[in-house]
């Protein structure tokens, strides 16, 4: 079906979705946080996609890194792990981090992901061990450069990040505390993606 889309990022939507246009067609694509944070409005991008069909919907999931899509496809093969949970997992941690925690059998790391309890984490560790071992993922951490932003824009950025985190399953108080922690070093974020990435790192504890 649709495996790769190269086009212009027409619109960025909270929490982590975009509209990409190519050949006169706009595709609504949901992405995990690491991929979303690499997109820039009105710029060209290539996104590896997975077309997901349900009884009530047809969804398109996208990934900047093809290996990240491979990990996503392994996740949704596991009983009880739907596409939304798989996307949440790859938003809470990168594909490389997920593989590392599976290899280390770190149950605690997986239970930090919203919606994953102890029993689910134990099952994931067992079932993912063989599924991920042959997938080579990028171990290079993503770096984001934050430029100064006017104070008047800061409130809307914080509000968008809080809404995005709540959509990912975090409680309002958790989101607010994590945003405060992410900004505690005096960093000023130029966009929603930058603050969202920094805040999610605080929530994940990595």
């Amino acid at each position: 079906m649709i495996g790769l889309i190269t086009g212009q990022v027409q619109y960025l939507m909270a929490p982590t979705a975009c509209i990409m246009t190519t050949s006169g067609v706009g595709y609504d694509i949901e992405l995990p946080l690491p991929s979303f944070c690499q997109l820039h409005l009105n710029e060209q991008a290539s996104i590896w996609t997975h077309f997901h069909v349900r009884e009530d919907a047809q969804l398109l999931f996208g990934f900047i890194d093809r290996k990240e899509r491979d990990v996503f496809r392994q996740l949704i093969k596991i009983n009880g792990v739907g596409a939304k949970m798989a996307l949440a997992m790859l938003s809470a941690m990168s594909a490389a981090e997920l593989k590392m925690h599976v290899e280390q059998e770190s149950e605690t790391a997986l239970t930090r992901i919203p919606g994953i309890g102890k029993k689910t984490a134990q099952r994931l560790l067992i079932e993912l061990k063989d599924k991920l071992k042959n997938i080579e993922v990028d171990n290079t951490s993503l770096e984001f450069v934050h430029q100064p932003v006017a104070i008047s824009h800061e409130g809307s950025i914080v509000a968008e990040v809080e809404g995005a985190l709540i959509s990912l399953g975090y409680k309002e108080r958790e989101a607010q505390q994590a945003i405060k922690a992410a900004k505690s070093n005096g960093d000023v974020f130029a966009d929603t993606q930058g603050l969202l990435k920094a805040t999610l790192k605080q929530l994940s504890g990595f």
Side-chain angles (χ1 to χ4, degrees):
M1 196 55 177
I2 304 171
L4 176 68
I5 297 176
T6 297
Q8 180 172 290
V9 180
Q10 194 73 29
Y11 189 56
L12 294 172
M13 302 174 287
T16 54
C18 76
I19 300 290
M20 173 173 280
T21 57
T22 181
S23 301
V25 178
Y27 295 92
D28 189 335
I29 307 172
E30 296 185 54
L31 308 99
L33 184 61
S35 290
F36 179 78
C37 287
Q38 294 184 67
L39 299 179
H40 299 283
L41 193 63
N42 298 324
E43 291 189 6
Q44 292 288 310
S46 292
I47 298 179
W48 296 91
T49 58
H50 174 83
F51 185 59
H52 191 74
V53 179
R54 300 189 323 216
E55 291 184 2
D56 60 341
Q58 297 183 21
L59 305 171
L60 197 59
F61 296 98
F63 310 86
I64 295 296
D65 184 355
R66 182 172 59 84
K67 296 298 183 180
E68 190 177 41
R69 184 186 65 175
D70 293 344
V71 172
F72 174 84
R73 286 176 167 173
Q74 292 301 324
L75 287 172
I76 60 177
K77 290 178 181 178
I78 298 174
N79 185 36
V81 178
K84 293 293 185 180
M85 180 179 286
L87 202 69
M89 292 175 67
L90 291 172
S91 290
M93 61 181 67
S94 68
E97 288 170 331
L98 176 60
K99 184 177 181 181
M100 177 188 70
H101 291 309
V102 169
E103 290 173 346
Q104 295 176 350
E105 299 184 355
S106 179
E107 178 186 313
T108 301
L110 296 186
T111 56
R112 292 195 185 106
I113 301 171
I116 295 183
K118 185 175 181 179
K119 290 184 178 179
T120 302
Q122 291 173 342
R123 180 159 47 84
L124 285 168
L125 290 176
I126 293 171
E127 297 196 35
L128 285 175
K129 192 169 185 178
D130 290 333
K131 294 181 183 295
L132 299 184
K133 67 180 182 181
N134 293 323
I135 297 179
E136 296 295 329
V137 293
D138 183 6
N139 293 310
T140 304
S141 298
L142 297 176
E143 297 291 338
F144 297 93
V145 179
H146 308 303
Q147 302 296 334
V149 62
I151 296 297
S152 59
H153 293 179
E154 189 173 357
S156 62
I157 290 174
V158 169
E160 288 178 5
V161 170
E162 184 177 329
L165 291 170
I166 292 171
S167 298
L168 288 172
Y170 292 99
K171 294 180 180 179
E172 182 178 352
R173 184 174 178 80
E174 287 180 309
Q176 291 172 348
Q177 290 177 336
I179 291 171
K180 184 177 180 180
K183 291 164 58 65
S184 63
N185 291 329
D187 293 335
V188 180
F189 298 92
D191 53 30
T192 302
Q193 297 99 304
L195 180 57
L196 185 58
K197 177 68 174 178
T199 302
L200 199 56
K201 283 187 176 181
Q202 292 290 331
L203 284 162
S204 300
F206 303 134

